[in-house]
Amino acid sequence: MKRFVLIAAMFVLLMMQLEAKYSDEYLIGTYSFLNNTFPFFAQNRELLSHWMQEMGYNSNIIETRKDDQELATLLRIMDEHGLDAWITDRGYSPDPESEFHYAIAPLSTSSQYIFEAEYLDERDVNPGDGKDSRFWYAFRNDGAIERIGRVHKDPEASNGHIWMASRGRDNAGYALGDLRYRWPNIYGSYVRMGREFNHYQINPPDHEDAYYWITYRFRISNVDPNTKAGDPLLRFEVAGYELSEGSYASRAKVIRAASENNISSQNLYRYQDYQQSKDTNEYVEYVLKIPYKELLDANLLQRPDNRIFVLSNLNPRLWWYGNCDLELDYVKVQDQFAYELVNADAEYKQKIITRAQNLIRQGQGNVSGFYAFDEPLQGQIPSYKILDHILAEKDINLMTATYDYQSSNIVIDANKGIFYDHLDHFINEAQPLIFAPDIYPVRSGYSFMPGVKDREFLQDVWEYKLIRVYEAGIRYRLQDPSRRFYPIVQAFGRWAKGNPDFWITWIRPPYATQKALLYLPLVYQADGIFHYRLQSFQSSDGYGDYVGLNTHLLSPGIYSTPETDPITMNAILHSNPKVKRYGAIIKELTWVDAATIMGESEKRSEIPASSLIEDIYVLEQPNAPYSGYIQCGYYLDEDKVPYLMLVNRRGNYFTPFEVETENLVPPEAYAEHFPQADPQTLMIKFNKSAQKRFGEYIGFCDPMDGSILYYDKMQGAIEIPAGEARLLKMVQTLPSILEGKVNLTGEREITGSVTLAKNANLSLDKNGKITLLPGASLIVPKDATITLAGEIILLGDSQIIIEGYLKEKEHKFINDGKATIIINPQPKRSFWKRLFGIE
C-alpha cells in the first residue's frame, strides 16, 4: 500500500511538472532568450526576471545548451518571479548514446520534402491545387532541360497522379529536370529551390556519416523485349547551381552520389535491377546518398553560423532512356536528421521524450514546453510535425513562430492579388497543436497616412497582413479543442546607421500604435500572447533594436545595465494588466466572428444575429486624416449573452516636418512626428431581439473597471481612445433617474447612482438579480416604491438606501462586507390609501 501511495505521489508530481502554473489564467509571454552560457544573461538573469514580472509577463522563451549546468537555477529564479518557461533546447551531441543527440532544436532544424513528380507548372493537377501553397514547387521546363512525358492519374500514387513517359510515344530525355517555385516572383522569374532547406551540422569538420538522402519512387513496365540485362533504363543525376551574391551560376555542378551499386555522378538503373525487384509490377524506391562533404566541396552548402547549414540549390534529375514505360510518383529529399526522424523506431522516439522530460524536471513545475526551430521554411515543416506528434503522446507542448515568408514575392495570381501563403502551408501540412504566427506589420515602406503616393497605407497592410492571419488562426484553432492560438506581437524596431540614419525593415511602433498591436489578438480569442521581444543589444551610440529594455555594448564583452525604452515599455506596462484580465474572460467565451468597423458612409460588415445589434459604425470625424478601423470581436457567454471586444487601431498619425518618411524619424523625435490620434466614437443601435431580452434599458459593462455604459432609445455611443481596447458585456441597466413602473426579471448591473423618481415603482422578480458594482448606489426616496423578491449583490463601497415603500417577498442581500445597506421604509398603507394615492 505504501509503495502504491509513493508511486501515485510521484505521478502527481510529474504531472504538476508537466503543467505550467503562472500562465494558466492567461498566458502573456515574451522572448527573453535567457541562457546561462552567455555571460550577460548569467549575470543579469535575476534583474531580467524582475523586469518581466514588473512588466506583467508570466511566461518567456529561454535557451539551454549542452554546457549549461545551471538550468535548474535559472528556472528557480523564474519561479520566484512568477514566470513559466518555454525551452529552446540547443544541446547537441553526435553520439546517439548521449541524450543531447535528441535535443529538440537540432532535430527540428532538419529538412525534408516530397516533391511530387506530376507538377510541371501552375496548372491544376488535383482540382484547386494550382493555388494551393502546399504545392509550391514544380519540375519546370527551362532553356536547359525540357521534360519528357505527361501527367497521368493513378490512385496508387501518393497524390493520385504520376508523371508518365511511354515507350514508342516519347523520345528519350529528362523525365525530371530542375526544381523551381511553381509560380513566378514579382519580377516574373521562376526562382530555383534550395534556400528553404536548413539543417544542423553533424560531425564537423568532415561530417562523417551525414548524408542527403534522395529517394525516387517509380514503376517500370513494358520494357523493350530486345533490352539486355546490363542496358540502362534510367539515369539519376544530382546537380546544383552555386549561389553567389544573390545570383545562381550559369552552369550546374553534378554531384557524386552513392547508390547500392557504386558512388558516381551518374547512377544507372539497369534492366537487371528491374528484374531483381521483388515484384516488378509494384513501385520501386531507389535511394541515393550524398555526403555533406560532397556538397561542401561543390559550394552548395553554406554556413551562416557554426550550427546551421543552408542549401544553395539541388536538383534530383532523372534521364529516361525510352526503352520502357516509366511511372514516376515523387522524389523525397532528406538531410541526415530528417532521415533519422522519419525512420525513428520506438527507442529513438523514447529518447526524444526522455530528453524533454529530463529538462522539465529541472523546473519548479514552471516549464510549459519546448520551442522548436524558429520560423520554419518549407523544408522543416515535416520534422516539426513528427516532433509535435511524438511529444504530444506525453502531453508535452511544442511551439514555434511562423511568418509570412515569400508573401510579397511569389505571385500565385496577380489579377486577384494572391501570393504564396506560407502560414496556410504550415497549418495544412504540419497540423500544429499550437499555431503562433509572428506577423510584424509596422515596417518601412508603409505610410501611417492614407493617400500617400507609391506607399501602402498602414491600416490596409494590417488588413491583409495581420487581420487575415489572426482570423485564419482562430478558425484553425476552433476546429480542434486540443489546439491553441498564440500570436506573437511586434514590440520592436531596428534602427540603423546610414546617411541619414533610418529604421531598417521594422519601425518601432509609436505608443498608441504599439498598444493597438498588443490588444489586437484579443479580438480573435488568442489563447495567449507573446511579445517579440523583452531585451536587445545596441551599439554604444544607440544603433540596433529598440524594445522594452535596451542594453548598450560598451566594448567587446562589456555591457551597460538595461535601460527602459519609454515608448515600448510604457505601452507594455499599460496594456498587459488589461490583456491578462480580458484574456482570462474571453478564454471562457464563444468566439462568433470579427470585423473591421468603419464610418457610417462606408460599406458595413455583416453583423452576427447573435450580437443583438442592428447597426454599428464609427462616428466620422471630418477634420481627421481618416476615421474608422475599430476592430470588433463578437463573443457569447454560456447564457448567450453578447460581448464585444473592441480595439481602436487608429493610434498615431505621421507629421513630416524635417523628415519625409516614417522610417527616418529618430527614436528621440517620436512625439513631434507621430502625434496621437483623438479618441473615436463607436455608434451602436440594438435590434428588437435585444429589447425583448434585455428590456428598455440596455447597456455594456466593462469588467476591467466595472463601469457601465448606459443607453436609452435602443442606441448609444462608446468612446475609445487611440490604440485602446474595451471588452464590453451586454447587460440590462437602469437609468440614473427611474420613472414609472419597471419590472426586473433578469440580471441588471448598476454603476453610478440610480434614484427612483416620485411615484416610481421598481419590482424585482423572484428570478431577478441586481448587482451594484463598487461605487454604485440604488436610492428609493420616500415617495417611491420598491418590491424585492430576488437577489441584490452589493460589491465594494456600493450602497442601497430604501426610505420609500418596501414590499418584501423572498429576497436576499449579498454583501461582501464593505457595502452599505440602509433600510428605513415608510409604513405600509391601507388598501384604500393605496387605491386613492393617499400618503
Side-chain angles (χ1 to χ4, degrees):
M1 181 65 182
K2 289 183 179 179
R3 183 180 178 186
F4 174 81
V5 172
L6 179 61
I7 293 172
M10 291 176 64
F11 178 80
V12 171
L13 178 61
L14 177 60
M15 289 302 100
M16 289 174 63
Q17 289 174 330
L18 289 174
E19 294 185 12
K21 51 187 175 184
Y22 297 112
S23 56
D24 287 346
E25 182 180 2
Y26 193 74
L27 187 153
I28 307 177
T30 184
Y31 285 69
S32 73
F33 297 111
L34 278 173
N35 73 82
N36 293 303
T37 61
F38 184 59
F40 172 83
F41 287 135
Q43 295 162 12
N44 292 278
R45 57 194 181 188
E46 293 211 35
L47 174 63
L48 293 173
S49 295
H50 167 77
W51 268 114
M52 281 189 275
Q53 187 176 39
E54 288 293 307
M55 294 164 75
Y57 294 120
N58 53 34
S59 187
N60 76 121
I61 296 168
I62 66 171
E63 297 182 355
T64 190
R65 289 175 168 78
K66 183 180 178 182
D67 54 348
D68 184 357
Q69 302 298 316
E70 295 194 0
L71 177 62
T73 301
L74 176 57
L75 291 171
R76 176 184 57 77
I77 291 170
M78 290 181 181
D79 185 65
E80 292 169 353
H81 290 85
L83 296 167
D84 294 330
W86 294 77
I87 300 176
T88 305
D89 179 16
R90 299 194 185 281
Y92 171 69
S93 168
D95 181 6
E97 298 304 314
S98 169
E99 75 168 68
F100 294 109
H101 190 74
Y102 305 93
I104 301 300
L107 289 176
S108 61
T109 313
S110 56
S111 297
Q112 168 183 288
Y113 218 99
I114 294 177
F115 297 105
E116 297 288 348
E118 57 268 25
Y119 288 104
L120 174 68
D121 49 32
E122 295 95 328
R123 287 173 292 184
D124 282 0
V125 173
N126 289 306
D129 71 7
K131 291 181 172 59
D132 189 335
S133 295
R134 288 177 299 165
F135 303 100
W136 57 280
Y137 55 85
F139 293 92
R140 300 192 64 88
N141 290 329
D142 56 28
I145 294 178
E146 295 289 322
R147 294 181 67 185
I148 300 300
R150 70 206 59 82
V151 178
H152 185 75
K153 286 187 176 182
D154 183 352
E156 296 182 28
S158 65
N159 193 36
H161 293 80
I162 49 93
W163 184 264
M164 172 175 279
S166 304
R167 180 171 70 88
R169 174 176 176 177
D170 300 307
N171 295 322
Y174 281 103
L176 288 181
D178 289 353
L179 282 162
R180 295 177 182 265
Y181 271 83
R182 194 175 178 193
W183 309 285
N185 65 9
I186 55 176
Y187 305 107
S189 299
Y190 293 89
V191 181
R192 291 191 180 278
M193 185 280 293
R195 305 292 290 173
E196 299 77 16
F197 270 50
N198 290 229
H199 56 91
Y200 231 69
Q201 299 178 21
I202 301 177
N203 299 336
D206 293 328
H207 307 284
E208 299 93 343
D209 300 322
Y211 303 94
Y212 260 59
W213 298 74
I214 301 179
T215 304
Y216 297 80
R217 186 174 193 261
F218 58 87
R219 181 160 56 191
I220 297 293
S221 61
N222 190 28
V223 180
D224 187 330
N226 296 318
T227 304
K228 298 180 176 63
D231 289 346
L233 304 180
L234 304 173
R235 184 177 76 231
F236 304 94
E237 301 174 7
V238 181
Y241 292 83
E242 288 185 69
L243 181 64
S244 177
E245 297 181 356
S247 297
Y248 286 103
S250 58
R251 297 187 64 180
K253 290 183 177 181
V254 179
I255 309 302
R256 292 196 313 154
S259 67
E260 291 182 359
N261 300 323
N262 62 351
I263 298 177
S264 174
S265 59
Q266 295 186 344
N267 286 272
L268 298 177
Y269 184 79
R270 304 176 188 275
Y271 184 43
Q272 62 191 19
D273 298 318
Y274 166 70
Q275 291 177 312
Q276 292 170 0
S277 299
K278 291 181 180 179
D279 189 335
T280 55
N281 294 319
E282 295 300 320
Y283 278 100
V284 172
E285 290 193 350
Y286 186 88
V287 180
L288 297 177
K289 293 163 55 178
I290 304 174
Y292 283 10
K293 195 172 186 305
E294 289 283 335
L295 296 169
L296 284 167
D297 291 344
N299 198 31
L300 294 177
L301 276 182
Q302 298 179 354
R303 290 186 175 97
D305 56 40
N306 61 2
R307 293 180 295 107
I308 305 297
F309 277 140
V310 177
L311 181 69
S312 293
N313 176 250
L314 206 63
N315 301 288
R317 298 170 177 174
L318 187 151
W319 177 273
W320 170 68
Y321 283 88
N323 52 1
C324 63
D325 286 354
L326 170 65
E327 297 172 79
L328 187 56
D329 190 0
Y330 61 71
V331 180
K332 180 166 58 181
V333 182
Q334 301 164 303
D335 69 58
Q336 184 64 37
F337 258 145
Y339 178 81
E340 292 180 13
L341 266 178
V342 169
N343 295 287
D345 57 15
E347 182 181 3
Y348 192 103
K349 294 177 181 178
Q350 182 56 50
K351 288 180 177 179
I352 294 172
I353 293 168
T354 299
R355 168 61 179 171
Q357 290 176 334
N358 287 343
L359 293 177
I360 290 170
R361 291 189 187 99
Q362 296 190 50
Q364 311 294 310
N366 61 331
V367 175
S368 296
F370 292 87
Y371 192 87
F373 177 74
D374 188 48
E375 298 182 333
L377 304 181
Q378 292 94 328
Q380 295 83 54
I381 292 175
S383 296
Y384 183 92
K385 181 178 182 178
I386 292 170
L387 288 167
D388 202 12
H389 286 181
I390 290 173
L391 295 173
E393 292 178 5
K394 299 298 180 180
D395 294 323
I396 300 173
N397 297 319
L398 183 69
M399 68 168 287
T400 189
T402 315
Y403 80 117
D404 49 347
Y405 174 68
Q406 297 282 27
S407 65
S408 59
N409 184 37
I410 303 299
V411 185
I412 293 180
D413 189 327
N415 294 327
K416 295 182 179 179
I418 302 175
F419 289 76
Y420 167 74
D421 189 340
H422 188 63
L423 292 113
D424 184 67
H425 178 181
F426 180 74
I427 282 177
N428 287 300
E429 192 71 23
Q431 294 286 296
L433 291 173
I434 296 175
F435 179 50
D438 59 337
I439 308 300
Y440 304 145
V442 185
R443 299 166 63 102
S444 59
Y446 303 146
S447 172
F448 278 64
M449 308 292 279
V452 177
K453 185 179 180 181
D454 299 326
R455 292 172 70 84
E456 289 186 89
F457 181 33
L458 187 67
Q459 298 290 359
D460 293 338
V461 173
W462 285 24
E463 287 292 321
Y464 73 78
K465 196 174 181 67
L466 197 62
I467 302 303
R468 179 183 61 84
V469 171
Y470 283 1
E471 181 159 344
I474 178 58
R475 294 192 185 279
Y476 171 75
R477 197 262 282 157
L478 290 174
Q479 294 171 10
D480 185 338
S482 67
R483 294 173 180 168
R484 275 166 288 171
F485 176 39
Y486 291 152
I488 300 164
V489 178
Q490 178 182 354
F492 78 104
R494 189 158 293 166
W495 185 243
K497 188 175 181 62
N499 187 20
D501 295 345
F502 64 110
W503 294 102
I504 182 171
T505 308
W506 296 282
I507 297 173
R508 176 183 63 177
Y511 176 70
T513 302
Q514 179 69 82
K515 287 194 299 179
L517 284 171
L518 300 177
Y519 290 128
L520 199 53
L522 297 172
V523 174
Y524 296 89
Q525 205 177 30
D527 297 287
I529 301 171
F530 282 92
H531 297 171
Y532 187 83
R533 55 192 165 129
L534 174 72
Q535 180 265 348
S536 71
F537 297 104
Q538 298 177 355
S539 65
S540 59
D541 46 1
Y543 295 103
D545 284 4
Y546 276 74
V547 295
L549 292 170
N550 302 312
T551 303
H552 292 146
L553 176 61
L554 303 178
S555 61
I558 305 299
Y559 300 90
S560 70
T561 301
E563 300 173 0
T564 61
D565 174 81
I567 290 177
T568 308
M569 176 61 76
N570 288 342
I572 292 169
L573 288 171
H574 178 98
S575 62
N576 268 359
K578 188 181 286 189
V579 169
K580 183 177 181 182
R581 174 68 175 145
Y582 286 169
I585 294 172
I586 67 170
K587 278 177 66 173
E588 307 303 320
L589 304 177
T590 298
W591 186 83
V592 178
D593 205 349
T596 303
I597 310 300
M598 302 298 291
E600 184 177 14
S601 62
E602 301 190 49
K603 184 179 179 181
R604 301 286 203 279
S605 299
E606 186 173 342
I607 303 171
S610 61
S611 71
L612 308 183
I613 293 173
E614 181 177 314
D615 197 10
I616 181 170
Y617 60 90
V618 178
L619 191 64
E620 295 176 2
Q621 298 172 335
N623 297 322
Y626 68 95
S627 299
Y629 298 100
I630 290 180
Q631 211 65 26
C632 175
Y634 298 99
Y635 289 90
L636 295 174
D637 69 10
E638 61 182 359
D639 296 320
K640 306 300 181 184
V641 174
Y643 284 71
L644 301 180
M645 182 66 234
L646 303 169
V647 178
N648 183 2
R649 286 165 41 188
R650 193 184 75 173
N652 299 86
Y653 303 132
F654 171 62
T655 306
F657 292 125
E658 297 176 355
V659 297
E660 295 180 358
T661 57
E662 291 87 340
N663 66 310
L664 298 178
V665 178
E668 66 275 6
Y670 264 47
E672 59 181 320
H673 289 291
F674 289 113
Q676 187 165 299
D678 291 333
Q680 292 202 96
T681 301
L682 190 69
M683 306 301 295
I684 292 180
K685 183 177 181 181
F686 301 101
N687 61 24
K688 292 181 180 179
S689 296
Q691 185 178 26
K692 183 178 180 181
R693 178 169 183 182
F694 289 95
E696 183 179 356
Y697 304 107
I698 305 176
F700 284 109
C701 176
D702 186 335
M704 188 66 192
D705 57 10
S707 61
I708 288 190
L709 305 174
Y710 293 95
Y711 298 134
D712 55 15
K713 298 181 181 178
M714 298 298 291
Q715 60 185 357
I718 302 170
E719 184 176 273
I720 309 177
E724 268 301 328
R726 298 201 76 172
L727 176 63
L728 299 174
K729 174 185 178 182
M730 191 177 291
V731 295
Q732 298 185 77
T733 66
L734 295 172
S736 57
I737 302 296
L738 181 64
E739 298 179 324
K741 186 174 182 179
V742 177
N743 182 38
L744 302 184
T745 58
E747 296 184 16
R748 302 280 171 130
E749 295 184 355
I750 298 175
T751 185
S753 176
V754 174
T755 302
L756 274 62
K758 184 177 181 179
N759 296 324
N761 191 329
L762 175 62
S763 178
L764 181 64
D765 185 83
K766 65 178 181 179
N767 296 317
K769 181 169 70 173
I770 296 177
T771 300
L772 279 73
L773 299 171
S777 62
L778 175 60
I779 301 173
V780 183
K782 293 180 179 180
D783 50 6
T785 302
I786 185 169
T787 301
L788 296 180
E791 189 175 274
I792 301 94
I793 301 173
L794 295 98
L795 303 177
D797 58 349
S798 61
Q799 60 179 346
I800 181 168
I801 301 173
I802 300 176
E803 295 183 335
Y805 297 103
L806 171 63
K807 297 179 180 180
E808 297 182 273
K809 297 184 179 179
E810 294 182 4
H811 67 282
K812 179 169 61 174
F813 287 106
I814 299 176
N815 186 346
D816 66 2
K818 299 177 182 178
T820 302
I821 301 175
I822 300 175
I823 300 178
N824 186 23
Q826 296 294 307
K828 293 182 180 180
R829 295 176 295 170
S830 68
F831 169 78
W832 297 106
K833 287 185 176 182
R834 283 185 278 119
L835 179 64
F836 293 105
I838 301 172
E839 298 296 333

